[in-house]
Every structure is written in structure tokens, then in C-alpha cells.
Amino acid sequence: MVADEDLRGRARAAYYRYEQVVAAGVAADLGLPPDALAPGLAGVTVITGLRELYETAEAQPTGGRGNAASDPEQLLALVDQVLDYARAGLARLTV
């Protein structure tokens, strides 16, 4: 975990382009402009969720639900949780 708030902010800013890539893909799938709300929220949600995996107990070698850091299956299950969360939000927004 990055304790310095300035460094944490800079690190988050570095992920902006990835959020935009995800947003563009979601927008294309939904037939929306990439700067529409739903694709933008999906991009932020996915990238933030993946970034947060680094700090979760489940993804650490001594994690709560096994050793996801050394077990690709468990790590992929956590990635799937992030994607499921984003999908659920999109489903709610596009109803």
C-alpha cells in the first residue's frame, strides 16, 4: 500500500489511459459514445478494481481465502469478481 497520498494520486492518474481504453470498448459494445456515463463508470470500476487487488488480503501470499498470489486460478477468480461487479453496474445503468 502506498502511504504517501501524493504518490498514490500520481499512481492513480497513471491508470487514466487504461480506464479510457476500457470505456471505449464498453461504449463500442453498447453503441454509446466513449464519453457517456456508463462506459466511463465501467472503465473506472474495472481498472480501480484490478488495481485494488494488490491490496486485498485475498490476493496476498498469506491471504484469507488461500494463496491467490501464487495460485493463478484463485487470482483469476478475484479478477472475475471485479468484472462481475462492473457488469452488474452496467446492467443497472442500461436498464
Side-chain angles (χ1 to χ4, degrees), residues 23 26-27 30 32-45 89-90 93-94:
V26 169
L30 297 177
L32 296 171
D35 61 350
L37 179 62
L41 288 174
V44 169
T45 300
L90 277 172
L93 284 173
T94 58

Side-chain angles (χ1 to χ4, degrees), residues 63-87:
R65 283 191 269 154
N67 190 351
S70 63
D71 183 350
E73 294 291 325
Q74 288 182 4
L75 189 55
L76 287 174
L78 293 173
V79 170
D80 285 341
Q81 285 182 18
V82 170
L83 298 176
D84 289 345
Y85 189 87
R87 282 186 199 105

Side-chain angles (χ1 to χ4, degrees), residues 1-46:
M1 181 169 151
V2 178
D4 184 297
E5 289 296 323
D6 185 51
L7 290 176
R8 186 179 300 155
R10 289 181 193 198
R12 286 182 179 150
Y15 287 100
Y16 178 75
R17 64 182 163 172
Y18 301 115
E19 293 168 1
Q20 297 303 301
V21 168
V22 172
V26 169
D29 286 349
L30 297 177
L32 296 171
D35 61 350
L37 179 62
L41 288 174
V44 169
T45 300
V46 168

